[in-house]
Structures are given as structure tokens and as C-alpha cells.
Amino acid sequence: QVESLHPRPGWVELDPEVLWSQFVGVIKEAVQTAGLHMGQIAGLGISTQRGTFMTWHKRTGKPFHNFISWQDTRSAELVGSWNNSLLLKVIRVIFTVLHFLTGNDRYLAPSFLTFSTQQTSMKLSWVFKNIPEAEEAARKNNCCFGTIDTWLLYRLTKGSVYATDYSNASSTGIFEPFTKCWSPTLCNLLSLPVSIYPPVKDTSFNFGSADSEIFGVPIPIMALVADQQAAMFGECCFQPGDVKLTMGTGGFWNVNTGQHLFASHRSLYPLIGWKIGKEVVYLTEGTISEIGTAIRWAQDIDLFTSVDETAKMAQSIADSQGVCFIPGLQVSVDDTYLCASFLGLKPSTTRNHLVRAILESVAFRNKLLYDTIVKKVHIPLRTIRADGGVSNNTFVMQMTSDLINKKIEKPANADMSSLGAAFLAGLASGFWTDKEQLKKLRRIEAVFEPQRDAKEYRPAMDTWLQATKHSLHW
């Protein structure tokens, strides 16, 4: 875990040199711990955090700035200016009319286009407005843009390979999943030079080899994949209707929509899951902010000692006594003034009630997003598989299962992103020949089945929904 830098309020950065040294160190340590040597490694698969990016000089390789994290809010003023602009309102009207006349889903997303600080596009626009060196290099066709995967590939190959894959590209919001290319429309709108973007390759693909000076031997780089898509692949969610729920720092619901690309809605958006040869698998994703963040914060203020005890604390009481937790520890996309809060505190409120309220807020938000998916994604949902650190919390898992009235599988290994990257690299290197072999490697640790009627939670959820309304624009 690379420690974040906060040079100014709202800025969240990662030092590229620290990231690089930790990346190399982790690989060496993993190989040594496994009792292997580098010459035995058939291929390397790289899964990385999405939406975090950097720009650097094409000729010298020198970065123009640190990695700007997906959590960074430096573009807030730019976002506000664009969202209130007449031009954006005109664009929405034009695309609303185009969608009405053609019925083409390509025009649906721009019809309610709204920018946010989480989007790579707005932060990249900020870079070219505020870092003259990057802007000048771009004018001379000497500027490279890359998410973490692209930078690591560039460094591993000593600058000889500059590329990304479809899963990472589609996660930037600058890549058009319908046409499978960087969006010239968005680039023109935001004055982003099209020349800065890397070529996009298959997810499971021979990208070249790591320079032998780094690990002692050249190691083939056989997969690049964004973390949520990697987790989807690691969970073997290969069929349309398969659902992956990751609960880590944030929450991510991903639905395999097969060859069908569903248009963006306000809370759901399309992604390319992976591309392997002629196979392109699309996903629809919905996100929940601040799951693990809120739990870590609660631990930091000594509401509990160990995360492992939170489920027992929540289960030790019948309910939260009307206490509600409203997340808002990070800037909200919809409400920049939203802040985290507890509502309904009483003299009888204990730590157990506060902890239960935090965990209930996770399950309630899972329910809201699940209902949206059922309503908007017209594909019968099949299996639901959970991963991420919070999936180890039996209270959250059981309450989510009750609320959505569906069985949820939890794998023995909660870190699915690394497993998905390994699967993709193994397929590219010929270690495995097909996905059926991967399915046989799945190990399920627990299955959570509905035990209570969802209606029993209705009073508590109604109270929580009311509390969220009271906390808006605080």
C-alpha cells in the first residue's frame, strides 16, 4: 500500500518512485516467500487501482507531476464551472433529442452528462491548465498520459513499451466503450490533446518482457487489468448475469452483460470488463463510496480495537436503537457539502449501537444499488459473489443477503484482483488453456442465504433514508 501524499487540502497524490520501488519489492518478496526463483516465472499479470494517472515527457520519461489519485478533488472548481455552464446544458439537450430520434444508447449518457471530481478527464484538464511543462510538451507531441498500469509497463520495459488495456482505458471515462477508442468528442470539449493517450491492447496479451536488469531475468508481461475487472475475472463471473460485489475502501457492484453494452444511467455506467482476442465482455458498474474508509475511521477513534470484532458487536444488540450513520468522509459527487454524521443519538447509545449503525449503512446502500441494477439492467441475475476486506464481515454479508433476498457466495481468498490478474496472465502464457480450468480452481469459504424477510428491515431502512435527507447540503 503506497502512502498517499496531501500537498494541499483536497489533493491526493502518489509518489511514482515510491510506487515503483514498492511494486518491484513486492514481486521479489512474493517469489522468495513462495520458495521460487525469478527464472521460474512464466508470466506477470498486473492489476492496478483505476482512475489514478500521471503525465510524463515522452523522450526523457520524466514525470510532470506525481500520480493524481482518483480521490483527488483539485478539479472541484473546474467541475462546478462546467456543470453550471450553458455549453453543457446545450450538449445535454442535443443528445437528448438525438437519443429520442435514433433510440441509440450511445446518445443516452451525454444527455445527462455531469462532471465530477472523481473523473480522470477533469483532473487531466486541470493538469493542462496549471502545469505549463505538460501543456508545452503536449503541443510538441512529447507528452504521455498513463494510469498506473501504463507507467509500470513503461518502467518495466525501460520505456520501450507504452500501452494500456481495454479495462483500464474504459475506466478513465475518456475512452468510448461503444467505439473502443479514446473519445475525440470529450477531448475536443475539454481541450485535451488526443496525441497523449497510449495504444490500447487486449487484457490478456504479451506486452513484452521486463528488462533483465530489474529481476535478473526477462519476465514476460502477460496481462494488464483494472482492479475491479480483475476481481470479476478472479471470481469467474464469466456468464451474462453473473454479479461481483467488492467491498473494500469503496463498494463496487459489477454485472457481466456479455456482448451487450448498456448505456450509462445516473448511478450505473458501462465498462469493458476484458478483451481476449475476439472476445469482448462488457460490464455495468455501480459504486458506493466509503465502506472500508468509514470502518477504518471508526477504529481510529477507538470505537473498537479490531475489525474482526465489529460483526459480534453489531450482533450483540437487537437493533441500532434508531441511530443512523450517514457516510460523507470524502467529497460526494452529488453533494460537495455532505459530511459524515450520526443521527438519532440517545443517552442509552453505546459503542455497539454506533458500530451497528455503520455496518447497517453498508447493507442499506448495497440494497439501494442492487434495486437500481435490477430495475435498469434487463438481464436475469445469476450468481452473486463477494470479495474485498469487508466481505469478511458476517453481519454485513448476512444483512445484505436478507435485504436483497439472494444467496451470496464468499470465496476463500478475499483478494480477487491479484487472482484475476494471475488467471489472465496464465491464459496468455498457456499455463491454462481455457476458463473451464479456472472455474475448477474456485474455492468457496461461505455461502450467505436469506434468513430474515427483507420487510423486517423496512422501519430501520426508512429511518436511515430519512436521516440521509436531513444530512444533505450540511
Side-chain angles (χ1 to χ4, degrees):
Q1 182 69 37
V2 180
E3 186 176 348
S4 297
L5 306 174
H6 303 274
R8 296 186 191 179
W11 290 29
V12 187
E13 299 181 350
L14 302 176
D15 186 315
E17 292 305 319
V18 172
L19 187 151
W20 167 250
S21 63
Q22 289 193 13
F23 170 77
V24 172
V26 164
I27 292 175
K28 290 180 177 178
E29 183 181 347
V31 172
Q32 185 177 9
T33 302
L36 302 171
H37 57 80
M38 288 297 178
Q40 294 175 277
I41 307 302
L44 178 64
I46 302 174
S47 167
T48 49
Q49 179 191 90
R50 306 177 305 176
T52 297
F53 74 93
M54 188 174 68
T55 61
W56 64 92
H57 197 282
K58 182 181 292 186
R59 188 166 42 82
T60 67
K62 182 182 177 181
F64 294 118
H65 51 86
N66 284 334
F67 274 107
I68 299 177
S69 169
W70 65 274
Q71 299 167 302
D72 189 285
T73 60
R74 72 185 66 193
S75 61
E77 188 176 330
L78 201 57
V79 168
S81 175
W82 264 107
N83 287 342
N84 293 321
S85 68
L86 177 61
L87 177 57
L88 195 60
K89 292 173 183 175
V90 170
I91 289 170
R92 289 177 190 145
V93 170
I94 291 172
F95 280 99
T96 298
V97 172
L98 283 172
H99 180 254
F100 175 77
L101 293 175
T102 66
N104 191 328
D105 280 351
R106 273 190 65 188
Y107 303 127
L108 185 58
S111 70
F112 51 80
L113 176 63
T114 302
F115 292 111
S116 81
T117 57
Q118 292 185 347
Q119 292 168 338
T120 302
S121 56
M122 296 310 293
K123 290 192 279 279
L124 187 56
S125 179
W126 181 95
V127 165
F128 289 117
K129 289 179 183 297
N130 292 274
I131 302 179
E133 297 85 357
E135 193 271 335
E136 182 182 354
R139 275 194 287 107
K140 296 178 180 178
N141 199 22
N142 274 328
C143 182
C144 294
F145 161 89
T147 42
I148 294 176
D149 62 299
T150 303
W151 169 251
L152 292 177
L153 177 65
Y154 184 84
R155 288 292 297 265
L156 284 167
T157 59
K158 295 287 184 76
S160 65
V161 182
Y162 175 53
T164 188
D165 93 294
Y166 284 89
S167 69
N168 279 292
S170 75
S171 300
T172 64
I174 311 172
F175 189 82
E176 173 56 68
F178 282 92
T179 58
K180 300 186 191 65
C181 66
W182 299 104
S183 172
T185 304
L186 188 61
C187 289
N188 286 332
L189 184 65
L190 300 178
S191 300
L192 301 175
V194 181
S195 63
I196 67 173
Y197 302 108
V200 184
K201 307 293 184 182
D202 284 6
T203 308
S204 184
F205 179 78
N206 188 342
F207 287 88
S209 293
D211 192 278
S212 57
E213 287 185 12
I214 299 171
F215 299 114
V217 292
I219 298 177
I221 302 160
M222 305 304 286
L224 297 182
V225 59
D227 55 3
Q228 296 309 317
Q229 290 94 317
M232 191 83 172
F233 203 88
E235 290 273 29
C236 296
C237 291
F238 300 142
Q239 299 299 316
D242 284 346
V243 181
K244 184 272 303 174
L245 165 59
T246 295
M247 292 183 288
T249 303
F252 300 86
W253 284 79
N254 293 91
V255 183
N256 184 325
T257 59
Q259 297 179 350
H260 300 286
L261 183 58
F262 281 77
S264 294
H265 295 276
R266 280 185 170 81
S267 53
L268 301 173
Y269 50 91
L271 292 172
I272 296 175
W274 51 84
K275 183 177 182 298
I276 306 173
K278 294 181 179 180
E279 178 196 36
V280 181
V281 171
Y282 295 103
L283 311 179
T284 290
E285 180 172 279
T287 63
I288 302 170
S289 64
E290 299 178 14
I291 291 182
T293 309
I295 294 172
R296 279 197 304 275
W297 167 80
Q299 185 174 13
D300 289 342
I301 64 168
D302 297 325
L303 281 184
F304 55 86
T305 306
S306 168
V307 174
D308 297 336
E309 66 185 297
T310 56
K312 290 182 180 178
M313 292 173 71
Q315 290 160 350
S316 69
I317 51 179
D319 54 49
S320 68
Q321 269 193 357
V323 176
C324 298
F325 175 71
I326 312 303
L329 296 166
Q330 297 168 336
V331 173
S332 166
V333 176
D334 303 313
D335 178 7
T336 54
Y337 297 101
L338 178 68
C339 59
S341 56
F342 283 105
L343 279 75
L345 299 177
K346 306 171 185 64
S348 58
T349 299
T350 66
R351 292 186 182 191
N352 290 352
H353 294 114
L354 297 177
V355 169
R356 180 169 177 131
I358 292 172
L359 299 185
E360 283 183 345
S361 75
V362 177
F364 289 150
R365 286 181 292 158
N366 278 336
K367 165 67 172 171
L368 291 176
L369 197 45
Y370 173 82
D371 286 349
T372 301
I373 289 169
V374 170
K375 182 179 179 181
K376 300 291 186 181
V377 182
H378 305 298
I379 289 180
L381 302 185
R382 292 162 38 95
T383 61
I384 300 178
R385 295 165 180 165
D387 62 77
V390 182
S391 70
N392 293 317
N393 190 292
T394 55
F395 179 84
V396 171
M397 291 291 289
Q398 186 57 58
M399 188 172 177
T400 299
S401 174
D402 291 342
L403 284 168
I404 68 175
N405 194 33
K406 288 286 184 180
K407 180 174 73 173
I408 305 175
E409 297 177 0
K410 180 193 173 300
N413 174 17
D415 187 4
M416 281 292 120
S417 295
S418 56
L419 184 61
F423 280 173
L424 286 157
L427 286 173
S429 63
F431 190 83
W432 294 294
T433 56
D434 56 44
K435 298 195 194 79
E436 292 305 312
Q437 289 181 301
L438 303 181
K439 291 179 183 178
K440 294 174 183 177
L441 299 174
R442 288 194 70 240
R443 296 292 180 267
I444 299 173
E445 181 182 89
V447 178
F448 294 85
E449 300 194 42
Q451 294 181 357
R452 292 176 59 183
D453 193 314
K455 293 178 182 176
E456 295 180 40
Y457 295 99
R458 177 48 60 186
M461 189 162 180
D462 285 344
T463 301
W464 180 80
L465 289 168
Q466 192 65 30
T468 60
K469 293 178 182 177
H470 280 300
S471 67
L472 291 174
H473 309 295
W474 182 256

